[in-house]
Amino acid sequence: VIAILLFAAARAAAAQGPAADWRTVETKHFRIHYPTPFEAWARHAALEIEAIHARVTEFVGYVPSRRIEVVVADPAAEARGTAIPFLDRPEILLWTSAPESESGIGDYGDWMELVATHEVAHIVHLARPRNRASAVLVLLSPAPFGPLALKAPGWVTEGYATIVEGALTGSGRPGSSFRAMVLRQLAIEGKLPDYSDLDGTAGWLGGSMPYLVGSAYLEWLSDRDGKDVLPRLWKRMASSRGGSFDEAFQGVFGESPRTLYDRFRAELT
């Protein structure tokens, strides 16, 4: 699955044209690559992205050791971003087209700020190596991903980045009327997804469940056990005693993710 995502991201970037007049601007934690037609967008990103990095790393509780490669492109005129949390060379692809106002991500003030915050959150969250991991083993690995990138289910990775986007931009999905409407309607109809379907794509807005329901569940956990509980879960997953996602979750919350999700779903309904 990871390989397919990487190839898809590479093809999307290539669609912009490798023969284009590409430029690079560097900041302390980023190298931003862009074709000249997107210079204004990329320069705006370069001016703001260090402040975004500072806010995200403080919120997540981790600072990646590697500079992040950013590609600015717009190969399909869609509102999208991609993050690839390599431990040795983390990468982000930012598409410049803003979403329509009626879309699920249409609540934003500055599209660059929203998409960059979400994708930087992915890197800061998922590019955390295992505690005391050998640098040599990381460099020799053909796919150097950390334990969170390899173990966390999709509803966790997308749900958490969605929480970060809302907390740090004051916009995005968490505080939007769109997410509130979807959660309310699913609850009214008794159709909030089962835990096993959180990563699924079937049904109404199926592919959006990790962003909408997953983020709401993580918020519920944070409200229940304190704002530091999710950073503690990430640290537990990166530790030598972390085990699987379910084991790490049980160690932090005292119950399984499925059990607490059913409780969240019942309360919401």
Side-chain angles (χ1 to χ4, degrees):
V1 172
I2 291 172
I4 291 171
L5 292 174
L6 295 180
F7 284 130
R11 288 189 63 187
Q16 203 64 51
D21 185 9
W22 286 85
R23 307 287 177 86
T24 298
V25 58
E26 297 190 15
T27 69
K28 180 179 179 180
H29 296 102
F30 299 88
R31 272 191 292 264
I32 303 173
H33 315 282
Y34 62 92
T36 52
F38 300 137
E39 181 164 10
W41 202 97
R43 292 283 178 180
H44 173 46
L47 287 173
E48 301 293 336
I49 204 162
E50 285 296 334
I52 291 172
H53 183 273
R55 294 196 298 270
V56 171
T57 53
E58 180 180 9
F59 187 94
V60 178
Y62 177 72
V63 181
S65 60
R66 301 283 182 163
R67 183 176 285 187
I68 301 170
E69 305 291 338
V70 179
V71 175
V72 174
D74 194 19
E78 294 182 9
R80 186 179 300 179
T82 301
I84 307 169
F86 287 130
L87 294 180
D88 60 341
R89 194 176 189 272
E91 301 176 5
I92 289 174
L93 176 63
L94 301 178
W95 292 22
T96 61
S97 288
E100 300 292 336
S101 59
E102 65 271 16
S103 75
I105 51 175
D107 182 2
Y108 64 92
D110 181 344
W111 168 242
M112 185 286 300
E113 180 190 24
L114 184 68
V115 68
T117 299
H118 186 99
E119 303 307 332
V120 171
H122 276 314
I123 298 298
V124 175
H125 177 208
L126 300 175
R128 185 196 297 257
R130 184 172 300 285
N131 293 354
R132 298 182 296 278
S134 168
V136 174
L137 291 177
V138 168
L139 293 174
L140 292 178
S141 172
F145 293 100
L148 276 80
L150 294 174
K151 296 178 181 180
W155 69 265
V156 170
T157 60
E158 293 300 347
Y160 188 60
T162 300
I163 285 178
V164 177
E165 83 182 33
L168 300 186
T169 70
S171 61
R173 283 158 284 214
S176 70
S177 58
F178 183 86
R179 191 187 77 162
M181 177 270 294
V182 171
L183 294 174
R184 177 179 173 82
Q185 193 61 35
L186 289 173
I188 286 172
E189 297 180 6
K191 292 183 178 179
L192 284 164
D194 292 334
Y195 181 78
S196 58
D197 294 329
L198 271 180
D199 288 343
T201 58
W204 181 53
L205 296 176
S208 297
M209 292 304 104
Y211 303 87
L212 303 176
V213 182
S215 64
Y217 176 34
L218 291 173
E219 286 177 345
W220 181 85
L221 290 169
S222 186
D223 291 341
R224 174 183 180 268
D225 291 315
K227 65 180 182 179
D228 68 328
V229 72
L230 295 179
R232 284 199 287 117
L233 176 59
W234 316 144
K235 291 179 182 178
R236 178 72 174 249
M237 291 178 68
S239 70
S240 57
R241 61 175 180 153
S244 66
F245 170 72
D246 283 7
E247 290 169 337
F249 189 101
Q250 180 96 24
V252 171
F253 292 98
E255 297 184 76
S256 73
R258 182 183 298 272
T259 297
L260 289 183
Y261 176 75
D262 286 342
R263 190 172 303 161
F264 155 77
R265 186 169 60 162
E267 289 186 10
L268 181 56
T269 300

